[in-house]
């Protein structure tokens, strides 16, 4: 039974193996036929393309002695069968080629966007500082510190240098209007400095038309300025008169506004300027329109003003008015003269009224800080040094001085060291003749 199975199974396997081999041979033959057909199709298409070029006479790269279908490798023409058959880039392309034969290149400007651009290799480089134009909103913030600092040092050249560093642009005229507006809130010396500044800036940085534009703006802003400075119209009139006299404004500035001003405050300012110019027509400059301020005044004039101040105080007894007058003098470095005059007046006065009033005045000046320790000490020390000469005119000067110094120390006007520095006159008294003319200590 087993033997029969073996006999019958062996031929079946052989037949199946032969059938598989036959299938494989058939599929391989079909693949070869397909590949051959593709090669023929590709070859026929290539031949048709080359024939079309040969018929038109444009295929110049083929060698007649070379095998069919081959092209000269050194030729620059396109071998893809596309295009017009012209050389690439006009014959100027290829590796190691700088261009077509006979081409002359001109100098080209370097491109800043070129990644190979070398700034240091372009020669001398000039750097230009670009300052953006100042915005109208930021103008006041930048101008205010310049003007306030100018009120301290009074150097117009420094202001000009600072303004050159700012790009004010079309808002240049507003610097003058802001400077005048700030000086209206300040002292007379500030207004004098502002008039000088406008005179120095005129013609150099600001023209007459720009100055006129600045004053026109201030005239329009008078209703707002008068809220903080009630005397603004009169002051602005003095500014206009001084500016016309200094040739900062044109002479026809006032004529332009005649009959055209509706604002009452502006009319007051213009009328004030016209009156001043009429009164001072023969003067070249209205130098004293603001008075002579601070340390510019002569010493004799300051001494006279302080004497007048103290005499008015002895009559009125108004401490606040005396303080106001002293501040208006604007000479804090010369306050020791006031202290000196106070002590001398006490020594020359009769009675205790002047002494008590002067102590009250010095005490007020001391508490408010108007007179400093240094100025107080210098004033008293000057009297100490001149006391022997004063004693010739005032016989009891030493005793009055000692009493006055003690009262000042009790009211905390002077220090203990200054009180102890007061010179004391040693007294020697002769007794009666019954003592034999002996001297008693």
């Amino acid at each position: 039974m087993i033997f029969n199975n073996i006999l019958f199974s062996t031929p079946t396997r052989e037949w199946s193996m032969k059938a598989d081999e036959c299938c494989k041979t058939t599929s391989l033959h079909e693949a070869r036929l397909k590949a051959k057909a593709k090669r023929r199709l590709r070859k026929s298409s290539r031949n048709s393309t080359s024939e079309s070029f040969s018929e038109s006479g444009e295929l110049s790269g083929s060698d007649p002695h070379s095998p069919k279908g081959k092209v000269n490798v050194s030729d620059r023409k396109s071998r893809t069968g596309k295009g017009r058959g012209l050389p690439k880039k006009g014959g100027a392309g290829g590796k190691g080629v700088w261009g077509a034969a006979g081409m002359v290149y001109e100098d080209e400007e370097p491109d800043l966007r070129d990644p190979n651009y070398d700034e240091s290799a372009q020669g001398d480089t000039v750097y230009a500082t670009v300052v953006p134009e100042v915005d109208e909103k930021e103008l006041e913030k930048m101008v205010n510190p310049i003007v306030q600092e100018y009120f301290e040092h009074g150097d117009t050249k420094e202001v000009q240098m600072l303004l050159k560093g700012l790009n004010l642009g079309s808002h240049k005229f507003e610097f003058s209007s802001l400077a005048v507006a700030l000086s209206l809130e300040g002292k007379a010396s500030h207004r004098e400095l502002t008039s000088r500044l406008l005179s120095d800036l005129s013609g150099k940085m600001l023209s007459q038309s720009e100055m006129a534009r600045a004053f026109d703006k201030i005239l329009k802003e008078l209703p707002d300025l008068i809220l903080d400075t009630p005397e603004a119209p009169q002051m602005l009139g003095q500014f206009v008169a001084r500016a016309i006299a200094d040739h900062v404004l044109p002479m026809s500035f006032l004529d332009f506004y005649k009959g055209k001003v509706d604002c009452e405050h502006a009319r007051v300012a213009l009328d004030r300027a016209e009156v001043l110019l009429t009164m001072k027509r023969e003067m070249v400059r209205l130098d004293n329109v603001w008075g002579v301020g601070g340390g510019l005044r002569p010493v004799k004039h300051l001494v006279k003003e302080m004497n007048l101040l103290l005499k008015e105080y002895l009559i009125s007894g108004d401490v606040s008015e005396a303080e106001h007058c002293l501040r208006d003098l604007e000479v804090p470095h010369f306050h020791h003269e006031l202290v000196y005059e106070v002590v001398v007046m006490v020594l020359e006065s009769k009675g205790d009224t002047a002494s008590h009033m002067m102590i009250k005045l010095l005490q007020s000046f001391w508490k408010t800080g108007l007179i400093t320790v240094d100025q107080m000490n210098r004033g008293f020390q000057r009297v100490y040094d001149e006391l022997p000469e004063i004693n010739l005119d005032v016989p009891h000067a030493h005793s009055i001085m000692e009493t006055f110094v003690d009262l000042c120390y009790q009211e905390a006007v002077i220090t203990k060291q200054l009180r102890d520095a007061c010179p004391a006159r040693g007294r020697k008294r002769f007794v009666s003749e019954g003592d034999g003319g002996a001297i008693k200590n």
Side-chain angles (χ1 to χ4, degrees):
M1 191 72 180
I2 295 172
F3 177 74
N4 290 334
N5 289 336
I6 293 172
L7 290 176
F8 285 106
S9 61
T10 300
T12 304
R13 290 180 179 178
E14 291 178 357
W15 292 340
S16 61
M17 292 175 63
K18 289 181 179 181
D20 292 339
E21 290 178 359
C22 183
C23 290
K24 290 179 181 180
T25 304
T26 304
S27 61
L28 181 61
H29 181 68
E30 291 177 355
R32 287 177 178 175
L33 291 176
K34 289 181 180 179
K36 189 174 182 180
K38 286 182 180 180
R39 286 196 299 273
R40 288 179 179 177
L41 182 61
R42 194 180 303 161
K43 187 174 182 181
S44 63
S45 62
R46 189 183 302 120
N47 292 337
S48 63
T49 304
S50 61
E51 288 175 1
S52 62
F53 280 111
S54 62
E55 290 175 0
S56 59
E58 295 180 359
L59 184 59
S60 60
S62 60
D63 188 0
H65 301 288
S66 62
K68 189 177 181 180
K70 291 188 178 181
V71 184
N72 189 5
V73 180
S74 62
D75 186 19
R76 296 298 179 185
K77 294 182 180 180
S78 175
R79 297 190 295 274
T80 59
K82 298 180 181 180
R84 297 176 297 169
L86 298 177
K88 293 182 179 179
K89 300 181 182 180
K95 184 177 180 182
V97 178
W98 286 75
M103 182 178 292
V104 178
Y105 291 95
E106 298 179 356
D107 294 336
E108 296 183 2
E109 293 293 332
D111 188 3
L112 298 178
R113 294 172 295 179
D114 188 353
N116 296 324
Y117 177 78
D118 187 6
E119 183 179 1
S120 60
Q122 305 305 320
D124 296 336
T125 304
V126 179
Y127 295 93
T129 304
V130 179
V131 181
E133 184 175 345
V134 178
D135 188 27
E136 186 176 2
K137 297 180 181 179
E138 300 178 357
L139 179 64
E140 187 174 355
K141 295 180 181 179
M142 301 181 71
V143 168
N144 279 3
I146 297 176
V147 177
Q148 294 292 349
E149 187 177 354
Y150 168 69
F151 288 159
E152 297 295 331
H153 58 69
D155 189 358
T156 58
K157 292 183 180 179
E158 183 174 349
V159 177
Q160 294 179 24
M161 182 183 66
L162 293 174
L163 291 180
K164 288 179 180 178
L166 299 177
N167 185 9
L168 299 180
S170 59
H171 307 293
K172 188 187 299 184
F173 73 96
E174 295 188 20
F175 173 80
S176 302
S177 59
L178 288 172
V180 173
L182 288 174
S183 65
L184 292 178
E185 301 174 0
K187 306 175 183 178
S189 60
H190 294 170
R191 293 186 281 277
E192 173 65 25
L193 289 172
T194 304
S195 294
R196 294 182 183 182
L197 178 62
L198 296 181
S199 178
D200 290 346
L201 293 179
S202 178
K204 298 178 181 178
M205 299 192 66
L206 295 171
S207 61
Q208 283 191 344
S209 59
E210 290 175 331
M211 288 291 188
R213 191 177 173 188
F215 276 95
D216 181 70
K217 181 182 179 183
I218 304 174
L219 287 171
K220 294 178 181 178
E221 294 177 351
L222 267 179
D224 296 331
L225 295 175
I226 205 171
L227 299 176
D228 298 328
T229 311
E231 299 177 355
Q234 291 79 7
M235 293 181 182
L236 184 57
Q238 293 175 221
F239 263 116
V240 173
R242 175 69 178 271
I244 294 176
D246 291 347
H247 304 289
V248 173
L249 291 175
M251 297 298 295
S252 60
F253 181 79
L254 295 178
D255 298 335
F256 177 77
Y257 289 96
K258 286 184 177 179
K260 301 179 182 179
V261 180
D262 298 329
C263 180
E264 180 181 358
H265 305 300
R267 284 200 300 270
V268 171
L270 295 173
D271 292 342
R272 174 68 172 167
E274 189 172 3
V275 169
L276 288 173
L277 289 172
T278 305
M279 293 172 57
K280 307 290 185 179
R281 188 178 298 275
E282 297 179 359
M283 297 182 62
V284 180
R285 294 167 62 94
L286 293 172
D287 288 333
N288 296 326
V289 70
W290 304 116
V292 183
L296 300 176
R297 302 186 181 187
V299 175
K300 292 182 179 180
H301 178 76
L302 292 174
V303 173
K304 184 178 179 181
E305 290 288 334
M306 290 183 177
N307 274 321
L308 182 61
L309 182 156
L310 294 175
K311 289 178 181 179
E312 290 180 354
Y313 168 70
L314 290 175
I315 295 173
S316 64
D318 191 350
V319 177
S320 60
E321 180 65 21
E323 181 179 346
H324 178 71
C325 293
L326 184 60
R327 289 185 185 275
D328 286 344
L329 291 178
E330 300 181 25
V331 283
H333 59 281
F334 201 61
H335 285 174
H336 61 86
E337 178 65 27
L338 180 75
V339 178
Y340 172 82
E341 295 295 336
V342 165
V343 179
V344 171
M345 282 189 177
V346 170
L347 296 178
E348 295 177 351
S349 64
K350 297 179 181 179
D352 298 334
T353 304
S355 176
H356 291 294
M357 291 184 67
M358 291 301 184
I359 291 175
K360 181 181 178 182
L361 181 66
L362 291 178
Q363 186 179 20
S364 175
F365 289 166
W366 174 262
K367 288 182 179 180
T368 56
L370 187 58
I371 297 181
T372 61
V373 179
D374 178 61
Q375 296 295 315
M376 189 73 74
N377 292 342
R378 288 181 63 184
F380 271 91
Q381 192 62 48
R382 285 178 58 192
V383 179
Y384 292 168
D385 297 338
E386 298 180 8
L387 198 56
E389 298 178 2
I390 297 174
N391 191 57
L392 298 177
D393 299 327
V394 184
H396 302 287
H398 281 85
S399 59
I400 299 173
M401 187 69 187
E402 290 177 0
T403 304
F404 183 71
V405 168
D406 289 336
L407 291 175
C408 288
Y409 176 71
Q410 292 174 8
E411 297 296 333
V413 176
I414 62 175
T415 60
K416 184 176 182 298
Q417 291 80 3
L418 187 60
R419 184 200 66 174
D420 296 340
C422 179
R425 181 179 181 181
R427 293 180 58 199
K428 294 184 178 181
R429 181 173 59 86
F430 286 91
V431 296
S432 63
E433 294 180 358
D435 295 333
I439 298 176
K440 291 186 178 181
N441 294 327

